[in-house]
Amino acid sequence: MTHRSGVTSLNLCFMRSHRLIGVVLAAALLGAAAPAARADDSGGTPTPSATGGVTYGASVGRGPRPIASVFRLSSSSVRVGAASPRLSFRVRQSGVRTVAARVVVRATSRKAHTVVIDLGQVRVGRTLTHALPSSITKRVGVYDVRLSVVDPAGQTLQRTAKAAGRTVLRVRAKAVVKPSPVTTPDPIVKPTPTPAGQTPTGTSSSSTRFPVAGAHTFGGPDARFGAGRVGHTHQGQDVPGAQGTPIVAPMAGTVTATDYQAAAAGEYVVMHGADGHDFFFAHCVRHSTVVAEGDAVRPGSRLCDLGQTGDAEGPHLHFEVWVDGWRSSKSSHPVDPLPFLKAWEAADPKW
């Protein structure tokens, strides 16, 4: 019995020593792991690196990343020396109040010119506006403008097709301003009456037509050639008629000009007649002219429609007859159209 009790005591001591060794080893292992656990449980956040990313080895948050829901320039193309465009942007991210932001403007040419605009902490969900530095518009080139963002968890901007957070600015050379040509006003041409006894040529029924192809009159004294006007005298004959009545060529000839003067003749046509005179038809309905410079016309060919465009009171044709061309030289001058009109009216089968 004494021998067995000694053996039993020895076994118990051996087992207790093994348990103590196990406790010591476990404590050592726990002590070695403790620093790592404290680092994970410290509640700190990774520090963004200078490049706008996250430092190597730092944990990256797994929440939604920031997105540039708005990113645009007030103008995508400016001239050298012009005011710099303004940049508007808005960052969107759930559960975050502010993010660190900066704008990088980099030239795409070989001689890269880069400007970094540090915006600091900006509020999420608000549209912010900043003017780009004036130095950017001093050089011609194409510039890549992009937003860089880092949230408190170290997450960078998520770029998508609809929210890329980048755009392009083009700085163009200054426009060459050409000096305006010096123009002199047309001299006031005094009308000269048709010489006594002169008969308009080409007045047969086959070679002429009355220029107003519809009901008409010759108006009163104020419609006559030579009637007084403010600053000048009337250089033609007015032929009142219904709005839209066709205006036709009185004889064969060639159209030499068509144009529009909002404050004077309105829409007009000029033609050179086969008899050597130039004829001027004014106040036509806007956009009613159906001929162009260089067109050959026959007697009765439609030119435009009777109207009252320009400086006109009531629908009528303002008709002029010119000798030596229509305002083509110093010798050009108008003559009284009424004898021509009456001769054409008498020869026109319609009348």
Side-chain angles (χ1 to χ4, degrees):
M1 291 294 295
T2 303
H3 178 72
R4 290 179 181 176
S5 299
V7 173
T8 300
S9 299
L10 181 61
N11 288 337
L12 288 173
C13 291
F14 183 77
M15 291 174 64
R16 288 173 182 172
S17 63
H18 273 65
R19 288 177 182 176
L20 180 60
I21 293 173
V23 171
V24 173
L25 289 175
L29 291 174
L30 289 174
R38 283 193 299 271
D40 290 341
D41 297 336
S42 63
T45 56
T47 303
S49 68
T51 61
V54 182
T55 54
Y56 179 79
S59 60
V60 178
R62 297 180 180 178
R65 293 171 60 187
I67 294 178
S69 58
V70 174
F71 191 78
R72 59 176 178 265
L73 292 171
S74 59
S75 177
S76 61
S77 179
V78 297
R79 298 281 187 182
V80 168
S84 297
R86 300 183 67 82
L87 173 67
S88 297
F89 70 94
R90 180 168 66 241
V91 178
R92 189 181 73 230
Q93 186 179 11
S94 300
V96 173
R97 293 187 62 187
T98 62
V99 294
R102 64 178 181 174
V103 175
V104 180
V105 183
R106 181 180 178 83
T108 59
S109 61
R110 292 182 178 178
K111 296 181 180 179
H113 173 59
T114 303
V115 175
V116 179
I117 309 167
D118 190 357
L119 303 177
Q121 294 292 321
V122 300
R123 289 294 299 269
V124 170
R126 291 184 180 179
T127 300
L128 305 174
T129 302
H130 292 270
L132 297 183
S134 58
S135 61
I136 294 174
T137 59
K138 292 182 179 180
R139 303 184 183 185
V140 174
V142 179
Y143 293 82
D144 179 71
V145 184
R146 66 174 62 198
L147 178 67
S148 176
V149 169
V150 180
D151 70 3
Q155 298 183 118
T156 56
L157 191 71
Q158 180 179 358
R159 304 185 189 275
T160 66
K162 294 184 179 180
R166 59 179 297 183
T167 187
V168 173
L169 171 66
R170 289 176 171 82
V171 179
R172 298 176 293 160
K174 290 184 178 180
V176 178
V177 180
K178 296 182 179 179
S180 302
V182 179
T183 58
T184 57
D186 293 335
I188 298 176
V189 181
K190 295 182 178 180
T192 57
T194 303
Q198 177 177 334
T199 303
T201 58
T203 56
S204 67
S205 60
S206 61
S207 60
T208 61
R209 290 290 185 275
F210 190 74
V212 178
H216 61 274
T217 68
F218 290 110
D222 194 51
R224 300 288 187 266
F225 177 80
R229 294 288 190 270
V230 178
H232 68 284
T233 56
H234 199 217
Q235 297 180 340
Q237 172 67 47
D238 290 342
V239 184
Q243 178 94 1
T245 301
I247 302 299
V248 301
M251 64 177 61
T254 304
V255 176
T256 57
T258 63
D259 208 341
Y260 175 72
Q261 293 177 337
E267 186 157 326
Y268 66 83
V269 177
V270 183
M271 67 166 282
H272 180 71
D275 67 346
H277 292 96
D278 276 20
F279 306 119
F280 180 73
F281 311 81
H283 304 314
C284 301
V285 172
R286 188 73 174 113
H287 303 303
S288 67
T289 301
V290 294
V291 292
E293 182 179 344
D295 286 354
V297 293
R298 297 179 299 175
S301 295
R302 182 183 165 214
L303 305 176
C304 59
D305 295 336
L306 185 147
Q308 51 184 331
T309 55
D311 185 10
E313 295 182 3
H316 68 276
L317 167 66
H318 172 85
F319 180 69
E320 297 178 6
V321 177
W322 284 71
V323 176
D324 292 333
W326 178 72
R327 303 180 182 274
S328 59
S329 67
K330 292 183 179 180
S331 62
S332 301
H333 62 277
V335 296
D336 188 357
L338 191 56
F340 291 80
L341 291 168
K342 289 187 175 181
W344 293 334
E345 184 183 45
D348 193 329
K350 185 174 182 178
W351 307 110

